Amino acid sequence: MAYKSINPNDGKTVKTFPELTDEQLENKIATAAKTFETWKKTPYAARVAIVAKAAELMRTHVDKFARHATLEMGKLINEARGEVTFSADILAYYAKNGERFLAPVKLHPTHGEAHMESSPIGVVFGVEPWNFPYYQLARVAGPHLMAGNTLVVKHAGCVPQCAIEFEKLWIDAGAPEGLYTNLLISHEQCDKVIDDPRIKGVALTGSVAAGRSISARAGTNLKVSSMELGGSDAFIVLEDADLEKTIPWAVWGRMYNAGQTCCASKRFIVVEAIADKFLEKFKAALEALKPGDPMDEKTTHGPLSSEPALQQLLHQVDVAVANGAKVVLGGKRLDRPGFFMQTTILTDVKPGNPAFRDEFFGPVAMFFRVKDEAAAIALANDSDFGLGGSVFTKDVARGKRVASQIDTGMMFINNIDWSDAELPFGGIKDSGYGRELGNMGIQEFVNKKLVRTHDMVAPLV
Ligand code: NAP
């Protein structure tokens, strides 16, 4: 059974859900395609009414949504509430701005007049991860529904109740059947969905492996796709950083969502002059976190999402150590039920160690000591990933100069990678392509059509 709610706090199975049969899947795609024919002609005001209502319902029922996330993937309850509210903000943002973002744009050819108009393309297929079980869905639903597309979405196998709640949200908001459809399907069925001619675009957020497989399939079918993949973001600390402010950000950057965030701070790159002090304070702050039930508001260190996720992380630490890394904090499973990992710091991770290029998806920080700013930039760029990164310095102009030299899709000064509805989110290199959120996010799955008027006599040939 691929779709299962397992409580990461105690490892107990709560509920299982059957996958769709091929016949059920066919019916759902057919309904989404039929609904597109009316939705694409539905005026913006009517689209706004549904998307804004969905935002309002999320805000009204924050706790109900949040508890499902905490139960299924172990997110701290307060973080889960924050995610639900932010998801509502994203929906409200696109309800408010979608029409403006997609308004015709006047162009200025040498002769005649022209404009570019944006129109929906059809049914878009979303494949989404468990780590932000609502935010990831809102990132595709807000823009692409406002653009006039319809959505079919395969959520991760471990968060079926979150997936079902989010689908129900749209029905409760007054959406027609087929506007937003949850698909409990296998990977093989995903391939069939991508091949289906009624599907016009594919949006994935997930691992690099999933990105390679799904983007290849979309490419073979000549379908537009966006890939939001993994990351190993640098957290650069320059010698003039204010450590009182930097340390809390380092802890938050690594430990938010139990470290299971694509754009979490994963590689702590600290200039020599301040390195010992940083390491000592960072270690003490990580040690002070309190493991416990993520439903308990006092808990500050929650479980990982699943037993396989924990096993993978423990294995990565073992491999790192076998190849020369030193463990200065943690490194083991916590001695308690559930999927808990000790907060961990690895040092002496050298090029050639598999850990040097790996993504650690959990509470494992890699610490690197470098000579100066130039060495910090070089190390930050020595990565297959290119999602985000941070620079800490009292000199903001210096921070901006450093940020400009890092090869990623996003950079943050005196702050960690953080998303806002208004700001584009996404990466380069193995972190994928395309952008979600902001104005750019709604432009990914629309047809940009040129319309030109040029009243002239045809040239003779
Ligand atoms: P994952 O294993 O790639 O799963 C993500 C989604 O893809 C799930 O729905 C999964 O379904 C599905 N999937 C995986 N392989 C597939 C295949 N071959 N065919 C069809 N569907 C497939 O990733 P994860 O472990 O859940 O999530 C963590 C990864 O996502 C990390 O690398 C993280 O950095 C990345 N991430 C990136 C962003 C971003 O915006 N850049 C945001 C969040 C997470 P099943 O669950 O059924 O396997």
Side-chain angles (χ1 to χ4, degrees):
M1 180 78 61
Y3 288 86
K4 249 187 204 179
S5 296
I6 299 175
N7 185 347
N9 184 48
D10 58 17
K12 294 196 176 128
T13 300
V14 180
K15 220 167 172 181
T16 55
F17 297 82
E19 281 173 2
L20 295 181
T21 63
D22 286 345
E23 194 187 341
Q24 287 169 323
L25 175 58
E26 163 55 32
N27 288 340
K28 285 182 188 282
I29 295 176
T31 306
K34 188 157 172 258
T35 301
F36 173 67
E37 293 306 318
T38 47
W39 185 249
K40 70 179 181 189
K41 295 184 213 130
T42 301
Y44 276 109
R47 294 182 202 163
V48 167
I50 291 170
V51 177
K53 181 72 186 171
E56 186 194 318
L57 287 173
M58 284 200 98
R59 287 207 183 96
T60 310
H61 301 288
V62 168
D63 224 57
K64 178 188 73 166
F65 284 102
R67 291 181 77 81
H68 279 302
T70 300
L71 174 77
E72 292 195 305
M73 53 70 67
K75 192 184 292 275
L76 299 180
I77 187 70
N78 275 335
E79 290 184 357
R81 290 187 186 117
E83 179 185 338
V84 176
T85 307
F86 184 31
S87 303
D89 291 347
I90 291 170
L91 297 181
Y93 168 77
Y94 282 108
K96 184 171 169 210
N97 296 297
E99 180 173 7
R100 178 169 65 86
F101 289 155
L102 296 177
V105 174
K106 196 165 168 44
L107 303 174
H108 304 282
T110 316
H111 302 291
E113 56 179 26
H115 72 268
M116 187 77 84
E117 55 187 46
S118 299
S119 45
I121 56 172
V123 187
V124 174
F125 180 37
V127 181
E128 301 299 330
W130 46 267
N131 62 338
F132 290 92
Y134 301 116
Y135 157 75
Q136 296 295 348
L137 303 183
R139 278 193 349 181
V140 290
H144 307 322
L145 297 183
M146 275 307 300
N149 296 309
T150 60
L151 271 171
V152 291
V153 178
K154 183 236 175 291
H155 212 336
C158 63
V159 286
Q161 299 196 57
C162 295
I164 290 164
E165 278 301 331
F166 196 80
E167 181 186 52
K168 183 170 171 295
L169 171 73
W170 293 97
I171 301 299
D172 293 347
E177 194 191 353
L179 183 67
Y180 180 99
T181 307
N182 180 35
L183 301 178
L184 298 182
I185 55 173
S186 67
H187 292 184
E188 293 68 36
Q189 286 173 309
C190 281
D191 286 344
K192 284 194 203 152
V193 175
I194 299 169
D195 294 345
D196 191 299
R198 292 166 294 186
I199 301 295
K200 303 299 184 194
V202 184
L204 166 76
T205 296
S207 58
V208 174
R212 289 193 201 289
S213 164
I214 289 175
S215 65
R217 196 88 185 189
T220 300
N221 283 286
L222 295 178
K223 288 181 184 172
V224 62
S225 64
S226 69
M227 295 287 136
E228 296 281 354
L229 310 178
S232 189
D233 290 2
F235 183 105
I236 297 173
V237 186
L238 300 177
E239 69 284 353
D240 64 347
D242 177 346
L243 279 192
E244 291 311 309
K245 289 186 184 157
T246 305
I247 297 294
W249 280 123
V251 174
W252 183 248
R254 183 56 288 199
M255 289 302 296
Y256 174 65
N257 209 29
Q260 305 163 113
T261 305
C262 51
C263 59
S265 310
K266 292 171 186 150
R267 296 179 296 141
F268 293 81
I269 300 174
V270 187
V271 168
E272 181 78 70
I274 203 170
D276 287 337
K277 226 185 253 176
F278 176 90
L279 185 57
E280 181 197 329
K281 285 174 185 280
F282 186 37
K283 184 167 171 263
L286 288 179
E287 276 171 325
L289 297 177
K290 297 263 173 295
D293 184 346
M295 287 286 183
D296 181 345
E297 289 175 7
K298 291 191 287 304
T299 300
T300 52
H301 174 180
L304 294 180
S305 61
S306 66
E307 181 65 28
L310 173 59
Q311 289 304 331
Q312 187 189 335
L313 201 57
L314 290 166
H315 175 69
Q316 284 178 289
V317 170
D318 288 347
V319 170
V321 171
N323 285 276
K326 294 201 174 74
V327 178
V328 298
L329 178 70
K332 300 271 181 266
R333 180 180 198 135
L334 273 174
D335 184 17
R336 52 166 293 145
F339 313 137
F340 288 81
M341 168 95 185
Q342 292 175 334
T343 49
T344 299
I345 302 178
L346 299 176
T347 63
D348 299 86
V349 179
K350 301 273 160 45
N353 188 331
F356 189 82
R357 310 206 87 76
D358 258 8
E359 178 185 30
F360 284 82
F361 215 56
V364 179
M366 285 192 280
F367 173 84
F368 300 88
R369 187 186 296 265
V370 290
K371 190 161 96 348
D372 54 17
E373 177 188 306
I377 293 168
L379 181 54
N381 284 334
D382 192 0
S383 172
D384 300 329
F385 292 108
L387 191 53
S390 318
V391 191
F392 287 80
T393 168
K394 285 198 189 108
D395 180 349
V396 172
R398 184 185 183 195
K400 287 183 185 168
R401 279 199 306 276
V402 171
S404 298
Q405 296 172 73
I406 308 291
D407 305 330
T408 57
M410 305 173 284
M411 282 303 292
F412 299 80
I413 295 154
N414 293 329
N415 213 296
I416 55 163
D417 289 35
W418 200 249
S419 67
D420 265 314
E422 298 84 1
L423 303 178
F425 187 102
I428 58 168
K429 304 199 271 183
D430 283 0
S431 296
Y433 52 84
R435 291 293 181 269
E436 290 186 340
L437 297 177
N439 186 341
M440 288 179 82
I442 202 171
Q443 312 291 347
E444 290 280 334
F445 296 101
V446 289
N447 176 22
K448 295 286 181 191
K449 190 196 293 171
L450 169 71
V451 181
R452 181 180 191 180
T453 309
H454 190 190
D455 196 4
M456 63 179 280
V457 178
L460 295 176
V461 271

